[in-house]
Amino acid sequence: MRTDDIRSLFLRFFSQRGHTVCPSDSLVPANDPSLLFTGAGMNQFKPYFLGQRRLNFRRATSSQKCLRTGDLDLVGRTASHHTFFEMLGNFSFGDYFKREVIEWAWEFFTKELNLPSARLGVSVFETDDEAYDIWRKNIGLTPDRIVRLGEASNYWPANAPSQGPDGPCGPCSEIFYDMGKEHGCGQPDCTFGCSCNRFVEVWNLVFMQYERKSDGTLEPLPQKNIDTGMGLERLAAVMQGVSTNFHIDTFSSIIAAITDCGGPPYAEHSESGARMRRIADHVRAAAFLLADGVKP
Ligand code: SER
């Protein structure tokens, strides 16, 4: 399935479930001086999560252009990190909460995309029994496919309770796709949530229910929200059965153009291959930044 078709399918799935399809915001957030670049689909909706402003709808979906510099050193070395990427998301502003978002995520993967459920597993925040029970009882996942992790992995933003930043936050549940044993690190405790190339985190479901204050307290928001984010390129790699995001349809012509500039042919498992992947990532990021008015 082409990347463009996956994006359309996602937006249509949530539009059919009462979500308003919203355009991507610019990579340079218009109304958020705390951010240099847009790094998540939820950024443009922050005031609505906080209940500071209201829209005339309470469900939204988007495919957001994102730029993250935090993973810069991983780009090209791992199968699935980028600076620029697209994030598919569905959002609830005080409307539906955990049960609906988990059930829809599962339906999208297993019915809409026909992904084999045996390849899917999830993580939940260590004390989030409610999310655990929904995965266990409503969806029917067996305990070996649900892992409980701490705030570094299963809070958004990561480590928000102990380290901040201030603002809307909440525990999250991540959905992983098992790329197969041959991609694993081989460690005995390698399972869903392991950071090796075997279990790719595809979708993050955030149960955004607190505002972190500067004194470190987590104040319940006036409403419970949902913020999800799924890496379009990661999902495309899964759907196209390729071993890295850089081998999906939208990247292959960029890699081909790089090899046309001279140098060795592209080889996945080589230093030059990793360099070409980095160049492909950075060229794409630079192009989208220029298009949004950022000048070098
Ligand atoms: N905000 C969450 C993330 O960026 C989910 O969209 O992962």
Side-chain angles (χ1 to χ4, degrees):
M1 191 182 286
R2 294 182 322 142
T3 301
D4 282 349
D5 295 332
I6 298 170
R7 187 194 301 106
S8 304
L9 207 62
F10 180 91
L11 296 175
R12 199 180 62 215
F13 180 89
F14 282 103
S15 157
Q16 285 166 344
R17 284 155 186 77
H19 294 64
T20 300
V21 180
C22 297
S24 171
D25 196 11
S26 163
L27 280 173
V28 185
N31 297 312
D32 192 341
S34 71
L35 290 174
L36 192 55
F37 297 119
T38 300
M42 59 77 69
N43 289 163
Q44 66 167 319
F45 299 117
K46 235 192 233 179
Y48 313 112
F49 288 124
L50 289 168
Q52 293 166 341
R53 272 193 263 151
R54 298 219 174 272
L55 291 159
N56 55 4
F57 51 85
R58 293 167 71 192
R59 299 178 180 188
T61 184
S62 69
S63 183
Q64 173 65 50
K65 295 176 282 184
C66 293
L67 194 110
R68 290 186 180 181
T69 53
D71 295 326
L72 193 59
D73 290 338
L74 298 174
V75 175
R77 294 184 203 283
T78 72
S80 57
H81 286 93
H82 296 291
T83 52
F84 172 85
F85 63 99
E86 268 184 78
M87 186 184 282
L88 302 170
N90 56 292
F91 310 95
S92 155
F93 312 116
D95 188 16
Y96 62 85
F97 201 47
K98 291 184 189 179
R99 185 180 58 76
E100 293 89 337
V101 73
I102 289 175
E103 288 180 355
W104 280 333
W106 192 254
E107 183 186 348
F108 183 72
F109 272 166
T110 59
K111 303 254 163 54
E112 203 71 21
L113 300 181
N114 283 317
L115 288 174
S117 53
R119 292 249 181 175
L120 298 169
V122 304
S123 63
V124 296
F125 183 53
E126 53 199 355
T127 56
D128 191 350
D129 295 332
E130 188 187 355
Y132 185 96
D133 285 347
I134 296 169
W135 284 117
R136 181 78 190 88
K137 295 179 186 147
N138 298 43
I139 305 298
L141 286 191
T142 48
D144 57 310
R145 291 198 288 140
I146 314 174
V147 293
R148 290 181 186 262
L149 297 173
E151 63 170 41
S153 310
N154 276 74
Y155 225 88
W156 203 87
N159 289 312
S162 62
Q163 294 170 27
D166 299 339
C169 64
C172 60
S173 180
E174 297 185 322
I175 309 178
F176 299 87
Y177 186 81
D178 182 355
M179 299 294 279
K181 214 170 174 181
E182 66 279 16
H183 296 281
C185 58
Q187 296 301 311
D189 57 351
C190 179
T191 184
F192 298 102
C194 181
S195 59
C196 70
N197 281 335
R198 176 168 177 187
F199 299 102
V200 183
E201 178 216 321
V202 190
W203 204 346
N204 187 13
L205 317 178
V206 182
F207 314 125
M208 192 176 283
Q209 61 195 94
Y210 301 112
E211 180 176 359
R212 188 190 195 274
K213 298 288 188 182
S214 49
D215 63 1
T217 50
L218 296 180
E219 201 167 274
L221 287 168
Q223 58 190 38
K224 288 182 176 172
N225 308 290
I226 288 295
D227 153 32
T228 87
M230 170 148 62
L232 176 62
E233 294 81 357
R234 289 187 183 186
L235 182 59
V238 166
M239 294 303 293
Q240 293 171 21
V242 292
S243 54
T244 90
N245 293 13
F246 296 92
H247 302 148
I248 64 174
D249 54 352
T250 49
F251 260 109
S252 51
S253 54
I254 305 177
I255 299 274
I258 294 168
T259 56
D260 282 351
C261 294
Y266 175 73
E268 181 179 350
H269 301 289
S270 69
E271 242 329 293
S272 67
R275 278 192 220 111
M276 287 184 198
R277 290 193 289 273
R278 278 200 281 285
I279 293 170
D281 172 272
H282 294 3
V283 162
R284 213 168 69 127
F288 275 89
L289 280 167
L290 284 166
D292 277 348
V294 179
K295 304 244 165 48

